[in-house]
């Protein structure tokens, strides 16, 4: 084989089997992003908490389309502790990094950023400040050198924000950090987390991040259950019962198709439907304007609906335009 031909074959293989980098330090990720940006290469970021499913992979495919073959697709895998409440599932959140990396390699991601908590929230530890509620060493355990958070004060208030106090503060903070670390031109999020997408769009606009936010449609299982890493918690018959969120959405869509319905009536009807299964317990169901997220009294076509339901150990969320 001539040198030129060998180079061609190498390039051809290289373009189909891109080498995927795994980066664990903030500094290394920033160096890589800076290098790409200096070369004029577009960067697409897909933030995730891992335990990937087809919904996540659809975001990666979208990022690739948006940055093109010559662009770089970065995926972050980080279970962000600051967005979990003290009684939530942080410690048992499903993880399988080896499998995630395999899937992302097959999907053609260029870099996977997998930081540790120390790397993201450096210096979280014990403060030397003395107080009345001392521990055995006489120190109060508070974050030592991590003390900056991003708070969106309007769209975060209802629904997930009301049920999970502090959740969106954690989300906005980690996403702002990931934006500064991976320096993307475009970042892709899922419509599955509708309120999160709205908060991130607002934060990006308000804080002038020079980043385009792209929202991808929700990927569902054949019975309508929205794909989610937390579906792993649905053991036995709970998996079937999990599709009740989608059945509720479909019922609402069918009802408002005919004529506007009062939110109060619709909420009561959906609660009955959802709780007619043995396990599901409704946390909330809201009907709101998709731009302002403000609740409406009359639900009509074009109104948005979001709901959260406990099914066994899982808390599932879903949403759709009615
Ligand atoms: P997570 O790992 O759950 O934090 O999700 C990472 C990203 O994937 C978020 O932008 C989610 O909205 C998105 N996502 C999660 N589930 C789905 C799904 N079923 N379809 C499309 N996107 C999703």
């Amino acid at each position: 084989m001539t040198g030129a031909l060998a180079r061609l074959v190498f390039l051809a293989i290289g373009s189909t089997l891109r080498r995927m980098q795994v980066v664990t330090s903030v500094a290394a990720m920033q160096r890589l992003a800076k290098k790409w940006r200096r070369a004029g290469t577009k960067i697409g970021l897909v933030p995730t908490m891992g335990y990937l499913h087809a919904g996540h992979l659809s975001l990666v495919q979208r990022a690739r389309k948006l940055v093109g073959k010559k662009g770089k697709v970065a995926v972050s895998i980080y279970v962000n502790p600051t967005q979990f409440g003290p009684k939530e599932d942080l410690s048992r959140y499903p993880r399988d990094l080896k499998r995630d990396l395999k899937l992302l390699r097959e999907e053609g991601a260029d870099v996977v950023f997998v930081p540790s908590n120390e790397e993201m929230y450096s210096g979280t530890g014990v403060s030397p400040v003395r107080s009345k509620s001392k521990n055995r060493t006489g120190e109060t355990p508070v974050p030592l050198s991590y003390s900056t958070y991003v708070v969106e004060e309007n769209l975060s208030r209802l629904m997930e924000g009301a049920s999970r106090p502090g959740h969106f503060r954690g989300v906005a903070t980690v996403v702002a950090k990931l934006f500064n670390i991976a320096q993307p031109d475009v970042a892709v999020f899922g419509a599955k987390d509708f309120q999160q997408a709205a908060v991130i769009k607002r934060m990006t606009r308000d804080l002038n991040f020079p980043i385009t936010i792209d929202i991808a449609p929700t990927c569902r299982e054949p019975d309508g259950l929205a794909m989610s890493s937390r579906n792993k918690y649905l053991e036995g018959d709970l998996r079937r019962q999990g599709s009740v969120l989608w059945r509720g959405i479909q019922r609402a869509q069918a009802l408002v198709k005919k004529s506007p319905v009062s939110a109060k009536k619709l909420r009561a009807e959906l609660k009955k439907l959802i709780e007619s299964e043995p396990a599901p317990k409704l946390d909330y169901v809201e009907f709101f304007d998709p731009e302002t997220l403000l609740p409406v009294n009359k639900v009509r076509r074009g109104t948005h609906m979001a709901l959260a339901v406990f099914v066994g150990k899982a808390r599932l969320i879903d949403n759709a335009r009615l």
Side-chain angles (χ1 to χ4, degrees):
M1 207 166 12
T2 66
L5 186 61
R7 213 165 34 244
L8 212 84
V9 170
F10 179 74
L11 280 175
I13 294 171
S15 63
T16 48
L17 278 180
R18 293 161 173 268
R19 228 175 64 86
M20 187 179 82
Q21 301 188 60
V22 179
V23 172
T24 56
S25 94
V26 168
M29 187 62 236
Q30 276 174 328
R31 268 200 305 277
L32 196 58
K34 260 191 203 157
K35 186 182 91 180
W36 286 338
R37 291 191 74 90
R38 263 203 306 274
T41 306
K42 274 206 157 30
I43 304 174
L45 172 68
V46 180
T48 82
M49 298 204 297
Y51 207 73
L52 303 181
H53 50 67
H56 293 117
L57 299 180
S58 77
L59 270 51
V60 177
Q61 286 154 16
R62 243 175 123 97
R64 170 60 63 204
K65 277 222 178 80
L66 288 164
V67 299
K69 262 195 256 167
K70 289 187 185 151
K72 299 291 183 185
V73 172
V75 179
S76 60
I77 297 181
Y78 181 56
V79 183
N80 171 38
T82 64
Q83 70 189 67
F84 285 77
K87 289 185 187 145
E88 293 181 358
D89 58 345
L90 173 62
S91 60
R92 61 190 173 94
Y93 193 84
R95 297 160 208 244
D96 190 344
L97 184 59
K98 202 169 151 204
R99 180 175 166 275
D100 288 350
L101 294 179
K102 181 171 179 284
L103 290 171
L104 292 174
R105 204 168 280 122
E106 286 164 3
E107 210 54 69
D110 294 288
V111 61
V112 186
F113 177 54
V114 195
S116 64
N117 288 338
E118 258 306 303
E119 197 64 23
M120 290 298 272
Y121 297 101
S122 55
T124 309
V126 172
S127 139
V129 177
R130 287 181 176 275
S131 85
K132 280 178 200 151
S133 59
K134 292 185 271 199
N135 63 16
R136 253 185 288 149
T137 55
E139 293 162 333
T140 310
V142 295
L144 186 63
S145 65
Y146 194 90
S147 52
T148 306
Y149 294 87
V150 178
V151 181
E152 192 287 325
E153 296 194 330
N154 182 342
L155 306 173
S156 332
R157 279 185 302 186
L158 302 174
M159 299 186 281
E160 288 303 283
S163 277
R164 305 181 66 188
H167 172 65
F168 285 121
R169 171 190 188 253
V171 169
T173 300
V174 80
V175 171
K177 286 166 70 66
L178 290 169
F179 283 179
N180 284 326
I181 294 166
Q183 300 170 39
D185 298 275
V186 54
V188 187
F189 295 86
K192 154 83 175 16
D193 299 278
F194 188 85
Q195 190 179 11
Q196 168 175 284
V199 169
I200 288 164
K201 272 202 238 165
R202 178 65 61 88
M203 174 192 81
T204 304
R205 189 200 73 182
D206 287 354
L207 299 185
N208 309 101
F209 282 106
I211 299 170
T212 304
I213 305 298
D214 181 72
I215 309 298
T218 302
C219 293
R220 299 181 179 281
E221 301 289 354
D223 66 353
L225 173 69
M227 289 182 186
S228 163
S229 309
R230 289 187 169 100
N231 292 351
K232 182 178 168 31
Y233 302 144
L234 299 173
E235 285 169 358
D237 189 56
L238 294 179
R239 167 61 192 81
R240 182 195 61 77
Q241 295 182 48
S243 69
V244 79
L245 284 82
W246 179 238
R247 283 181 268 145
I249 288 172
Q250 284 182 309
R251 169 75 66 87
Q253 281 172 334
L255 284 171
V256 305
K257 209 168 177 179
K258 291 184 214 142
S259 58
V261 192
S262 104
K264 206 171 152 194
K265 266 198 187 151
L266 190 53
R267 183 174 292 112
E269 166 138 7
L270 293 179
K271 183 172 164 68
K272 212 163 91 191
L273 180 145
I274 286 160
E275 297 186 350
S276 67
E277 292 280 4
K281 292 279 166 284
L282 182 66
D283 181 4
Y284 67 79
V285 53
E286 292 292 347
F287 311 98
F288 56 90
D289 177 287
E291 294 299 321
T292 62
L293 308 196
L294 287 175
V296 298
N297 292 326
K298 269 268 179 260
V299 186
R300 48 188 94 238
R301 286 175 79 159
T303 301
H304 214 91
M305 164 177 160
L307 74 171
V309 179
F310 293 100
V311 183
K313 276 187 263 172
R315 182 177 176 280
L316 306 177
I317 61 170
D318 204 347
N319 73 89
R321 182 181 185 273
L322 298 180

